[in-house]
């Protein structure tokens, strides 16, 4: 059994298409197909259902691809560990980040890169927490920044990062006469733009409103916080976003941030890595950076 055969098999399981898998592995389609056939003969089980094109993995293939991913991840981790002992950390750290944390991820990636200048970091945003946890389990990502609730985090190591708090953001003219806070019912009278339903940040808002017997129908919805902020910057819109966005990107001139009356609407944001041991040396180093970041804040 060759690592190359396992790489081709994992690529095919991911792409669900022979040509795309071959392209991802930088080989010809016949070479990839033959390598997988050799793997099937060696293991003495069919791994792939074939027709004119790829149809699916067999039940045996679905089970064995989990082992293939783990073997390849351990192989990569071994190579990283050896290089780290000789020259320090190198390679590429693959990090998945929920949209709400895209403004704060530099809190860990910047010091991580400063401490490990030979490591490249690939950050993917616009991913949902469930997608990130699934890809971390499949070793397709080294780590992820997610909302842990209500995700299934079995098999993952959780490192606390911070707790975000929702605030109202609006043009100053819309908030004339307001002090530093606003009630939810008064906030709903403003022309609202919010995240799309189903996104964790929107669910937090909808749940807070439901607890108060309220509901919202925004005039504009988007899956991007940046889109919401640019609308608010016109002075004619209001939104509810995590305070952490304002820490990283101060509000435009003429825009104010107000706290919302009542119990604060909060959510934990954490770093997740695969709990398999010894695991990726890059993931372990990122965990240490996250812990150093948290401890530097003090009690």
């Amino acid at each position: 059994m060759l690592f190359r055969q396992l790489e081709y098999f994992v690529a095919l399981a991911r792409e669900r298409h022979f040509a795309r898998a071959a392209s991802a592995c930088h080989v010809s389609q016949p070479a990839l197909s033959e390598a997988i056939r050799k793997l099937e003969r060696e293991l003495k089980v069919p791994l792939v259902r074939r027709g004119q094109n790829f149809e699916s993995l067999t039940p045996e293939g679905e089970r064995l691809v989990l082992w293939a991913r783990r073997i390849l991840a351990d192989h990569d981790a071994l190579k990283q560990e050896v290089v780290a002992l000789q020259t320090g950390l190198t390679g590429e750290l693959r990090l998945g980040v929920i949209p709400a944390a895209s403004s704060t991820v530099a809190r860990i990636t910047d010091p991580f890169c400063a401490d490990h200048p030979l490591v490249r970091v690939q950050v993917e945003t616009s991913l949902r927490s469930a997608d990130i946890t699934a890809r971390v389990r499949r070793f397709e990502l080294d780590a992820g920044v997610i909302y842990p609730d209500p995700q299934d985090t079995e098999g993952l190591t959780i490192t606390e990062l911070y707790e975000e708090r929702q605030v109202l953001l609006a043009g100053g003219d819309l908030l004339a006469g307001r002090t530093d806070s606003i009630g939810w019912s008064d906030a709903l009278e403003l022309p609202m733009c919010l995240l799309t339903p189903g996104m964790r940040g929107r669910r937090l808002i909808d749940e807070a409103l439901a607890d108060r017997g309220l509901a919202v129908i925004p005039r504009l919805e988007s899956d991007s916080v940046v889109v919401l902020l640019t609308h608010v910057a016109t002075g004619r819109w209001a939104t509810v976003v995590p305070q952490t966005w304002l820490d990283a990107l101060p509000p435009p001139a003429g825009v104010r941030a107000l706290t919302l009356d009542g119990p604060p609407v909060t959510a934990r944001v954490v770093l997740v890595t695969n709990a398999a041991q010894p695991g990726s040396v890059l993931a372990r180093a990122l965990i240490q950076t996250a812990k150093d970041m948290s401890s530097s804040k003090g009690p």
Side-chain angles (χ1 to χ4, degrees):
M1 183 186 305
L2 302 175
F3 286 113
R4 182 180 65 253
Q5 294 170 317
L6 297 180
E7 290 170 357
Y8 295 173
F9 176 40
V10 168
L12 181 60
R14 180 182 66 248
E15 301 294 338
R16 322 297 284 188
H17 190 278
F18 280 102
R20 288 198 299 268
S23 176
C25 295
H26 307 290
V27 297
S28 68
Q29 182 174 331
L32 180 135
S33 298
E34 180 57 25
I36 293 176
R37 288 186 187 280
K38 287 181 179 179
L39 182 61
E40 290 176 314
R41 289 195 293 269
E42 183 175 346
L43 295 175
K44 296 181 175 60
V45 292
L47 301 174
V48 180
R49 288 196 179 102
R50 300 170 176 85
Q52 291 295 323
N53 298 295
F54 174 88
E55 293 183 355
S56 67
L57 296 184
T58 64
E60 296 90 343
E62 293 287 0
R63 293 189 63 177
L64 294 181
V65 74
L66 303 177
W67 284 101
R69 291 184 182 122
R70 175 61 191 272
I71 291 168
L72 292 174
D74 285 347
H75 181 238
D76 289 342
L78 173 63
K79 292 190 293 185
Q80 291 170 358
E81 198 85 45
V82 171
V83 173
L85 291 171
Q86 296 171 337
T87 62
L89 293 187
T90 62
E92 181 177 271
L93 176 77
R94 300 159 302 172
L95 180 63
V97 180
I98 54 174
S102 58
S103 67
T104 59
V105 68
R107 296 182 184 181
I108 55 174
T109 53
D110 178 63
F112 177 85
C113 289
D115 290 341
H116 309 291
L118 299 180
V119 177
R120 303 181 308 278
V121 179
Q122 181 71 36
V123 179
E124 290 188 53
T125 59
S126 301
L127 299 175
R128 298 201 176 194
S129 295
D131 298 327
I132 292 172
T133 56
R135 292 180 63 184
V136 169
R137 286 193 179 95
R138 294 196 301 265
F139 303 100
E140 295 174 1
L141 293 172
D142 297 296
V145 178
I146 69 164
Y147 292 122
D149 304 315
Q151 301 304 316
D152 174 13
T153 55
E154 183 180 357
L156 302 176
T157 296
I158 294 178
T159 304
E160 298 289 337
L161 293 179
Y162 58 88
E163 185 175 73
E164 66 176 25
R165 177 173 179 166
Q166 303 290 321
V167 296
L168 180 112
L169 196 64
D173 291 344
L174 296 176
L175 301 175
R178 300 284 181 186
T179 55
D180 295 330
S181 64
I182 188 171
W184 284 90
S185 57
D186 291 335
L188 295 186
E189 295 179 3
L190 303 173
M192 276 285 176
C193 56
L194 295 174
L195 291 173
T196 54
M199 298 185 71
R200 177 60 174 159
R202 175 62 181 276
R203 291 202 303 271
L204 288 170
I205 296 167
D206 289 343
E207 290 167 3
L209 291 172
D211 290 342
R212 295 162 175 80
L214 301 171
V216 61
I217 302 177
R219 291 181 58 191
L220 182 146
E221 295 176 327
S222 173
D223 62 355
S224 167
V225 176
V226 172
V227 169
L228 303 183
L229 295 179
T230 55
H231 277 77
V232 172
T234 68
R236 296 188 293 274
W237 296 84
T239 191
V240 179
V241 296
Q243 173 68 45
T244 47
W245 274 85
L246 308 185
D247 296 338
L249 303 170
V255 173
R256 294 175 56 197
L258 274 64
T259 59
L260 290 151
D261 290 344
V265 179
T266 62
R268 294 163 59 218
V269 177
V270 304
L271 179 72
V272 293
T273 54
N274 199 301
Q277 294 297 324
S280 163
V281 64
L282 297 180
R284 297 203 308 269
L286 187 66
I287 290 173
Q288 187 58 53
T289 298
K291 290 180 176 178
D292 292 343
M293 179 193 77
S294 297
S295 62
S296 67
K297 295 179 184 178

